[in-house]
Structure formats: C-alpha cells, structure tokens
Amino acid sequence: MSSDHVRFTERPAAGPEPATGGPDTGGPATGSAEAPFLELLARGAPVAAYEQPVLLARAEGRPAEWIDALERARLLALRVRAELEGRRRREAELSALFETAHDLAGLRDLDSVLQAIVQRARSLLGTDVAYLTLNDPDRGDTYMRVTEGSVSARFQQLRLGMGEGLGGLVAQTARPYVTDDYFKDNRFQHTGAIDAGVRDEGLVAILGVPLMLGPHVIGVLFAADRRARIFEREQIALLSSFAALAAAAIDSANLLAETRSALADLERANEIIRDRSAVIERASEVHDRLAELVLRGGGVHDVAAAVSEVLDGTVDFTETAAAPAGALEASRAEGHAVRHGQDWIAAVAAGGELLGALVLRGHPDLDPVDQRTLERAAMVTSLLMLARRSAAEAEQRVRGELLDDLLDARARDPRLLRERAARLHADLDATHVVLAARLDAPAADAEQEAAARRRLWSAASHLAATQQGLAAARDGGTVLLLPLPQGDSATDLARRIARHLGTAVNEAVTVGASAPLEHLTARPDTVTAAYEEARRCLEALRLLGRTGDGAAAQDFGFLGLLLAGDRDIAGFVDRTIGEVIAYDERRGTDLIRTLEAYFASGMSPARTKDELHVHVNTVAQRLERVGRLLGEDWQTPARALEIQLALRLHRLSAPALRG
C-alpha cells in the first residue's frame, strides 16, 4: 500500500453508524469519514491520493452508506484543496506583482526591471519561454528586447515588421491573443523570418498581451510553451498585469531620462553662464598681467608663465623648428591660434617672419575668449622678441668686433682682451674651438644669397651669445669661437653646430673645426691660424661631398696633416700609435720595431719572424698585444695606412727628438 493510503479505525459490523450529522449530512454521520481527507489536506497530498480512502473501504467491504459518506467527504476535500491551491497561486501572483511594483518604484536600471518581469511571468505561468518585444519608431519595426528560457540565437535577435506574426495581431487589436498551435493558426500573418525563429526555438503554444501607454501599443509580452497548451483566463489576466507593469516601467524610465536630460541642459546652461563670467574675468586679468610684463621688461617665458596661470594650463614658448610645421603655418596665415591634436598653437610672427610659437598643451576644448587671450599673448611675445632682438643685434655687433680683432690680431693686450670678453660673459682663458660655417644650397639670385647669409649670421650670433662665445661674418660665411664643453671633442662640437645652424636657417650648413685652443689671451695670434685650419677642413668636407656635416682636422687621419695649419706631426703620431710607444717605454718591449717589420714583410708573420730572428709564436703574441692597444680594426686598410705613416714619421722624428 502506498504512502498516500490512509488507515482508520474499523467500526463494528453490526448495526448502522450512529447519526451524528445535522440536516446537511444527507445520510449517515460523516465526521469520521472526513478525517482521512483532513489529514491529506494537511499534508498537501496530490489529487490521486484522495481516491485511496474510498478504494480501501470498498476493498474491505464497508457498507454502502459509509462509502457514500467517504465519496461526499472526498469531493468536499478536493473542493477545499482546489480553493487552497487557487489562493496560494493568487497569493504568489500578488506577491510577484507586488515585488515587480516595488522594483518599478525604485527603478534604477530598466533592463533589470524588464528582465525580472519576464522571469516572474515565466515562473508563475509555468511556461518554457517568456519574452518581451518593443516597437522601434525610428526603424518602423519591432525588436526582441528581453527573453527568458530562450535557447535560439536567431529567435533572440528577431526583428518583426509592423503587423507581422502573432505580435502584430496583438498590436493591431490592442488585445491579448493566444494560439495553442502556432504553425496551424492562420489568423495572423506568417513570415519566413519569424517562422524560422519560432521553429528554431521549438515553440508551439503562445500567449501574447499588449504593452499599453495610454491608447498606444508600445510592445508585446509573450509566454510560450514547446508543446500544445490551453492558457486559462486567469493566466491571461496575470500576464496582462505584468504587461501593464512593464509598460509603466518603460514609461517611468522614459520620464526619468527626459527629466535627467532637462536637468543636464539646465546644468549646462548654468555652467556656460559661470564659464562666461570666469572667462571674462580671466581675459581682464591676463590683459593686466601682460601690460605689466611689457612695462617692467619681462621676457618670453614670463609671458608663457602668466598665460599658463590664467588659462589654467601649460603654455610653452617653442622655437620655430620645434613647433608642428603645418599648425604653425596655418596659425601664421590665419592670424589665429589653431588646434593641433590635444594642443593649441599660436604663431609668434613679425612682418611675415616666424619667430616661434606659444603652445597651450593638453587643453583641447579651448573657449573662444581664451583662444583670443592666447593670440594676444603671442602678439605680446613677438613685440618682446623684436625688442630683445634689437638689443641682441647690438650685442652681436660688439661680439663680432671682438672676434674680428682676434682674427686680425689688432688687440694684443691680454688684459684688454679679458675685459672686453668679460663684458660679453665670455671666458677667453677656457679651451675654445674656432669653427668656420657656410651655407651650401645654391641661391637663385644675389639678393636671396645675401638674405641666407644674414640668417646664418643671425643664428650663429644667437648661438654664440647663448654659449658664451663669439661670432662674426667673414669670407662669405660665419666664423665662431666657442668654448669646448668638457668631455666633447672638436668633432662633436662641429657636428652639433652644423645640425643646429642647419635647423635654424632650414638649409644645409657645413662646419669645419680647428683643433682645441688654450690661453687665447696670451696667444691671440693662434685664432687666425686656427681659423685657416677650420676653413681648410670646411673645404675638404665640401670636396668630399659631405655638405651639411661637421668635422675637425683630426677626423681625416693623415690627411689632417695636410689640413692642419701647424702640421701637428707629433699629435698625429700620438693619436695613431701613441699607446704602443708608451707601452714600449713602460715595459722595455719592442712592439714598434715589430710593427715596422710586420708591415715591411707584407703583413706576413712568417717573414716577420725571420726579419726579427724570433719564433713565430713570439711574433703572434706581440701582434696580439698591439691589437689590444690599438683596437681590433688596426689591420684594416685605412688604419694600416695611417699606422704605417705614423711609424715612418716616428722613425724620422726620433733623431730630432733625441737631439
């Protein structure tokens, strides 16, 4: 016997049951007949379990009156059970509606609310799938907004034309519609796309109810099963309630969005008013600041700092060569600041000549009034630069006169030279290099050539002033006397000056450098010789096709002997094989003689050992030592030629040195 069978106390077979019921009992007393059914109700047993007490009584041969009483009690219990089930279901539905309404009242995310509505509708109706579609006024169709229980990607991405499918019928009539077999129902318009999506999902029975905002249908809420099913009136009413909540949620979200948009518009308007006021105040402030700077003789970087503070950004003055060429030219041509990426560029120009740019960095959304402020700052900067240029040109003439005197050896008094140099912040007692610079691009006419030379002289003079040197125009080019930075060579300085001047004048500039000079005040005549050496180096660069480059005499190896004015033979020998000579002097070895024999023997170790009368391993060891002293490339053709010349000069100069 199953667990749903109910045992009850047997009564004596003789005699009828005592009548304990009232007028409504309709026969024998039913009090004890109802007991097993009350127990079943209390346990929440399934419907099938209510047959067991009747079947058991018949099997035991109970009287007909007792069985009739059990039947009446069973029917009554089933009615009570159905009523309880209905109340529980309505309670669950009301609870779900209440929770959904609560979610709607605290609406923060429309997607979450709609998803909750679809989930609860599916759960309470016990369907396989629930989904919600919304109308798209812009595209004139309907699209799938939320699904629950769907497994088909095609179904989830469906878009329906207006009036198509079951949803179209619901939208047209603004009334619920139900079909127990979708594909056999011809009361709505079937389409290939919709049918394919429904078939992919495997849906059969579908219930759709409209989402209404006033008299307008804005979408449809669906519940569907993958088997034939009859939807009851209570289920249709429940889904309609959920649809009403969904419509209310959408309406609330739209109203909330409109409210937020209106508030945002008001906030933007207030911000614009505040910004306008702040901009006007900033414009007035920057005008006063710039006027003050001009009156007290401020510089370019003072202007940039003042504008940076007023515009609440970073403003830098940039040289013409370092500024973005396209933006700089556009600003010069238009007379306005122009945007370049995240920055703003305002050209600093005078009489069509570009002097540089003011760059406002990291401020892409510049107010028009602030843009005008940046443009005025650029104008003030150009005026300051012109004033400074006039003063600088006067200083450049003085610097040029001092260098001319050094080149022409007019003033030989060291004290006077030092005093004149000190007034120009130059230190003639430091190590200097003389550099000869010349433009290499051919000019179209004499006027253009003269203009190019003036630009070169101006750039060289500016460079000399910033590096505490001297500059002068001479022999169709420019000559500079610059201090040699510690750790630099004359070659490094020449190449750096060639690049700098070439960038400044936007043409190729070739620079030749002398050897470093010391104690100029004591020997001012050395400047003239150094200038001649630099000029010869410059001509050698041009003859070798190295225009736009910089070099010193030492860069040409033994050719430097021909270029150097003082024929520095000892310097060449020391630079080339000095390490080997010093090693022999320290260790008492004979590496120089080994090198001479090695080159005399055609660079053959076997013939070298015969020349020196030593073992070939000894030759190899000595040559290995030479390689460590001179570098691994000492046997390359170029190096070998210089080393052989240095050996010959060393041999020739040895008697004189000894004497």
Side-chain angles (χ1 to χ4, degrees), residues 88-105 113 116-125 209 221 234-249:
R88 279 195 294 269
R89 184 172 62 254
R90 285 191 294 274
E91 181 181 351
E93 293 169 356
L94 289 173
S95 176
L97 290 171
F98 176 78
E99 291 174 1
T100 305
H102 181 271
D103 292 344
L104 180 57
V113 174
I117 289 173
V118 172
Q119 288 174 347
R120 289 163 184 163
R122 178 195 176 203
S123 175
L124 290 175
L125 269 67
V209 297
L221 178 61
E234 293 84 355
Q235 295 172 324
I236 298 174
L238 176 61
L239 194 62
S240 297
S241 298
F242 277 115
L245 290 175

Side-chain angles (χ1 to χ4, degrees), residues 277-296:
S277 177
V279 165
I280 293 172
E281 291 179 5
R282 288 200 302 272
S284 176
E285 180 184 353
V286 78
H287 181 272
D288 295 341
R289 296 279 295 276
L290 293 178
E292 181 185 353
L293 282 173
V294 172
L295 292 175
R296 63 182 175 88

Side-chain angles (χ1 to χ4, degrees), residues 183-222:
F183 291 101
K184 293 181 180 179
D185 198 329
N186 296 319
R187 290 174 291 176
F188 51 83
Q189 180 183 350
H190 287 265
T191 68
I194 300 174
D195 286 358
V198 174
R199 186 175 289 106
D200 267 10
E201 194 62 55
L203 301 182
V204 176
I206 303 177
L207 166 62
V209 297
L211 275 68
M212 306 289 295
L213 278 183
H216 304 292
V217 178
I218 63 169
V220 180
L221 178 61
F222 296 89

Side-chain angles (χ1 to χ4, degrees), residues 133-297:
T133 62
L134 289 180
N135 296 346
D136 188 343
D138 295 333
R139 296 183 55 171
D141 62 3
T142 299
Y143 64 97
M144 195 72 71
R145 183 69 160 79
V146 182
T147 65
E148 177 67 21
S150 171
V151 295
S152 167
R154 178 187 295 185
F155 181 77
Q156 295 167 13
Q157 298 169 6
L158 272 179
R159 296 193 74 96
L160 296 71
M162 289 294 186
E164 295 178 352
L166 186 147
L169 182 60
V170 174
Q172 286 177 343
T173 61
R175 298 178 63 183
Y177 186 82
V178 62
T179 177
D180 57 356
D181 194 331
Y182 174 86
F183 291 101
K184 293 181 180 179
D185 198 329
N186 296 319
R187 290 174 291 176
F188 51 83
Q189 180 183 350
H190 287 265
T191 68
I194 300 174
D195 286 358
V198 174
R199 186 175 289 106
D200 267 10
E201 194 62 55
L203 301 182
V204 176
I206 303 177
L207 166 62
V209 297
L211 275 68
M212 306 289 295
L213 278 183
H216 304 292
V217 178
I218 63 169
V220 180
L221 178 61
F222 296 89
D225 259 345
R226 296 188 176 92
R227 62 186 184 281
R229 170 176 176 168
I230 301 298
F231 288 96
E232 300 175 357
R233 286 192 303 273
E234 293 84 355
Q235 295 172 324
I236 298 174
L238 176 61
L239 194 62
S240 297
S241 298
F242 277 115
L245 290 175
I250 295 169
D251 189 37
S252 297
N254 292 338
L255 291 174
L256 183 59
E258 292 174 2
T259 302
R260 287 174 176 168
S261 178
L263 290 174
D265 291 340
L266 289 174
E267 182 64 25
R268 282 193 295 270
N270 288 332
E271 287 178 359
I272 291 173
I273 294 172
R274 289 195 298 269
D275 289 345
R276 290 296 91 194
S277 177
V279 165
I280 293 172
E281 291 179 5
R282 288 200 302 272
S284 176
E285 180 184 353
V286 78
H287 181 272
D288 295 341
R289 296 279 295 276
L290 293 178
E292 181 185 353
L293 282 173
V294 172
L295 292 175
R296 63 182 175 88

Side-chain angles (χ1 to χ4, degrees), residues 294-305:
V294 172
L295 292 175
R296 63 182 175 88
V300 170
H301 296 290
D302 294 325
V303 174

Side-chain angles (χ1 to χ4, degrees), residues 162-510:
M162 289 294 186
E164 295 178 352
L166 186 147
L169 182 60
V170 174
Q172 286 177 343
T173 61
R175 298 178 63 183
Y177 186 82
V178 62
T179 177
D180 57 356
D181 194 331
Y182 174 86
F183 291 101
K184 293 181 180 179
D185 198 329
N186 296 319
R187 290 174 291 176
F188 51 83
Q189 180 183 350
H190 287 265
T191 68
I194 300 174
D195 286 358
V198 174
R199 186 175 289 106
D200 267 10
E201 194 62 55
L203 301 182
V204 176
I206 303 177
L207 166 62
V209 297
L211 275 68
M212 306 289 295
L213 278 183
H216 304 292
V217 178
I218 63 169
V220 180
L221 178 61
F222 296 89
D225 259 345
R226 296 188 176 92
R227 62 186 184 281
R229 170 176 176 168
I230 301 298
F231 288 96
E232 300 175 357
R233 286 192 303 273
E234 293 84 355
Q235 295 172 324
I236 298 174
L238 176 61
L239 194 62
S240 297
S241 298
F242 277 115
L245 290 175
I250 295 169
D251 189 37
S252 297
N254 292 338
L255 291 174
L256 183 59
E258 292 174 2
T259 302
R260 287 174 176 168
S261 178
L263 290 174
D265 291 340
L266 289 174
E267 182 64 25
R268 282 193 295 270
N270 288 332
E271 287 178 359
I272 291 173
I273 294 172
R274 289 195 298 269
D275 289 345
R276 290 296 91 194
S277 177
V279 165
I280 293 172
E281 291 179 5
R282 288 200 302 272
S284 176
E285 180 184 353
V286 78
H287 181 272
D288 295 341
R289 296 279 295 276
L290 293 178
E292 181 185 353
L293 282 173
V294 172
L295 292 175
R296 63 182 175 88
V300 170
H301 296 290
D302 294 325
V303 174
V307 179
S308 296
E309 185 176 343
V310 172
L311 296 185
D312 193 22
T314 301
V315 178
D316 296 321
F317 174 78
T318 304
E319 298 287 348
T320 302
L328 184 61
E329 180 59 31
S331 176
R332 185 196 64 79
E334 298 173 9
H336 297 290
V338 298
R339 183 172 171 179
H340 178 71
Q342 297 293 309
D343 304 333
W344 283 85
I345 310 294
V348 177
E353 179 186 0
L354 282 172
L355 305 176
L358 287 184
V359 182
L360 175 60
R361 304 189 185 280
H363 212 310
D365 300 323
L366 189 63
D367 185 274
V369 177
D370 287 343
Q371 180 181 343
R372 184 61 181 157
T373 297
L374 182 63
E375 294 163 1
R376 288 176 179 170
M379 185 183 302
V380 171
T381 301
S382 65
L383 294 175
L384 290 175
M385 291 186 70
L386 288 177
R388 291 295 177 87
R389 175 184 287 183
S390 298
E393 287 176 353
E395 181 181 336
Q396 289 168 6
R397 284 192 295 272
V398 176
R399 289 179 181 274
E401 290 172 359
L402 176 57
L403 183 53
D404 283 336
D405 287 347
L406 288 170
L407 289 171
D408 296 334
R410 294 173 183 169
R412 297 178 179 275
D413 186 340
R415 183 180 60 81
L416 292 177
L417 290 175
R418 284 195 185 93
E419 288 179 358
R420 292 176 63 186
R423 287 194 293 270
L424 299 172
H425 306 289
D427 180 12
L428 296 184
D429 289 326
T431 302
H432 283 70
V433 174
V434 176
L435 302 110
R438 188 178 299 173
L439 291 167
D440 288 296
D445 52 44
E447 184 177 349
Q448 290 186 3
E449 182 176 356
R453 289 180 179 179
R454 284 195 299 271
R455 291 198 304 273
L456 176 61
W457 175 80
S458 177
S461 298
H462 177 71
L463 178 64
T466 57
Q467 297 192 10
Q468 299 179 339
L470 305 174
R474 181 167 288 232
D475 299 322
T478 300
V479 56
L480 298 97
L481 180 66
L482 297 179
L484 182 65
Q486 186 175 3
D488 270 5
S489 66
T491 301
D492 296 332
L493 183 60
R495 288 176 176 170
R496 186 164 62 250
I497 298 304
R499 288 194 301 270
H500 181 93
L501 294 178
T503 301
V505 301
N506 200 26
E507 292 186 36
V509 177
T510 306

